[in-house]
Each structure stands twice: as structure tokens, then as C-alpha cells.
Amino acid sequence: MNPYERYILPKMIEMACSSDTVANIRAEIVPQARGEVLEIGIGSGLNLAFYDSSQVTAITGVDPAAQLQPQARLRADAIDIPVEIIAVDVQGIHAETNRFDTIVMTFTLCSIKDAIPALTEMARVLKPNGKLLFCEHGLAPDAAVARWQHRLTPFWKPIAGGCHLDRDIPALIQAGGFIIEDLSAAYLSGPRLASYIYKGRARQAL
């Protein structure tokens, strides 16, 4: 890992993902979690304050970026829910099938290298009646914006931790073994290349 990835990129991601606008979306999505939770891409733990301790029994957070763990652990210590943080991707936790009641994934799918295998693993470890709660930026519906997303993604990925500007979030979730039960999408304030947000709820495709 080079110095940029170790020291600079985490601070940039923290700033981008902790704005008031993004926090409002977290506050809408995360409190829906119930039971035993798997959080994909826990990062520095920005979601942790939004979990409802009366509804969530435990959280397992996975993220390959070990350099973000110290901040995540500080935030985990500040809530009344047991939190285990593992510095691996979702395919590295080796959890048993049908273990989790809820999977939470916010602003993470854009940077997972092999998105469909990761989603397939999420579907495997989610209970049949469990929910995937997601909020992700992705491919815009406007052709002109989408063209620029496709053009710039190869240059954007190396400086943004592998982030894709142009992923079709609903299509990936469905291809990974889920049925989307609720979906909304809209632009947030900010550059349209990275501000079209998909949020919703999905379940296993049985």
C-alpha cells in the first residue's frame, strides 16, 4: 500500500462520506436494521451511530481497509451494541449460511472489485427472511451524464480507491441473487457524475 492509499485517501473518503447530506441518508437507511447485522464496507464506522440498539443485537463489520479500523473501533466503543470489525472483504469472513438478519451496505458497492461474487456471498449469508439495506451512488439516467461516467471511470478508479462512477446498482444487486422490494433514486446536491443515489431494500431471490 502506497502512502497516498494509507494516509491521504482515507481522509478524503471520510470527508466525502460524512457530509450532512450523506448523514441524512444514513439516518434514513441504517435504523431499519434488525437482529444480527453484517455491514459491508464498514470503513471508519460512520454508520454505527445510526443503529437502533433496541433492535440490533450485534454487528459484524467487514472492510479490507485495515487502516480505517482504529477510527471504526472508537465509534464502535461509543454505542451499546457489540461490534466485531474484520479487515477482510465479504468473501473473507467465511460466515455460515443464513446467519444474518440484516445486511447494510452504504456507499460501498462502487468500490468492490468483483461486485457480483460479493453480492452472491451476501445472499448466501443472509437469512431467507432477512433484508439487504443499501444506499449507493451509480449510473445516472441522463445519457450525457452516463457517457461522462463511462469515460472518466478508468481514470477515477486509481485515485478513488477503486470507485466506479458508472455501476448499474439495481442490475448488480439483482444479478447477485436478490429481489429488490423497495427502490428510489435521485440526484443529491453536488457533481452529477457521482451524486445519483440508489437506495432501498432487497431480499434473497429464493
Side-chain angles (χ1 to χ4, degrees), residues 21-157:
T21 301
V22 174
N24 288 338
I25 296 176
R26 297 182 192 278
E28 180 181 345
I29 297 294
V30 177
Q32 299 178 48
R34 298 290 184 269
E36 187 172 2
V37 176
L38 173 64
E39 182 170 334
I40 307 300
I42 194 170
S44 62
L46 288 169
N47 281 336
L48 290 172
F50 297 102
Y51 285 101
D52 183 345
S53 60
S54 70
Q55 299 294 330
V56 173
T57 57
I59 301 167
T60 299
V62 297
D63 198 304
Q67 69 271 27
L68 299 176
Q69 277 200 14
Q71 184 63 49
R73 293 187 187 284
L74 287 175
R75 288 178 168 139
D77 289 342
I79 67 173
D80 294 326
I81 304 170
V83 181
E84 180 183 14
I85 300 171
I86 309 173
V88 296
D89 61 25
V90 64
Q91 292 163 287
I93 64 169
H94 304 298
E96 59 269 27
T97 298
N98 300 338
R99 172 178 169 180
F100 295 99
D101 299 288
T102 310
I103 295 177
V104 173
M105 180 175 64
T106 61
F107 303 102
T108 296
L109 190 56
C110 65
S111 59
I112 295 177
K113 183 178 179 181
D114 298 311
I116 292 178
L119 284 159
T120 300
E121 181 67 359
M122 294 180 219
R124 183 187 70 80
V125 301
L126 185 64
K127 291 180 179 178
N129 61 346
K131 303 299 180 186
L132 167 66
L133 306 174
F134 63 90
C135 178
E136 301 286 345
H137 76 87
L139 186 66
D142 302 284
V145 178
R147 281 196 297 271
W148 278 106
Q149 288 177 314
H150 293 315
R151 289 170 183 161
L152 293 177
T153 288
F155 305 98
W156 178 249
K157 284 167 56 182

Side-chain angles (χ1 to χ4, degrees), residues 134 167-175 180 183 198:
F134 63 90
R167 282 190 162 166
D168 186 334
I169 300 302
L172 285 172
I173 290 173
Q174 291 168 343
I180 295 176
L183 177 67
Y198 298 87

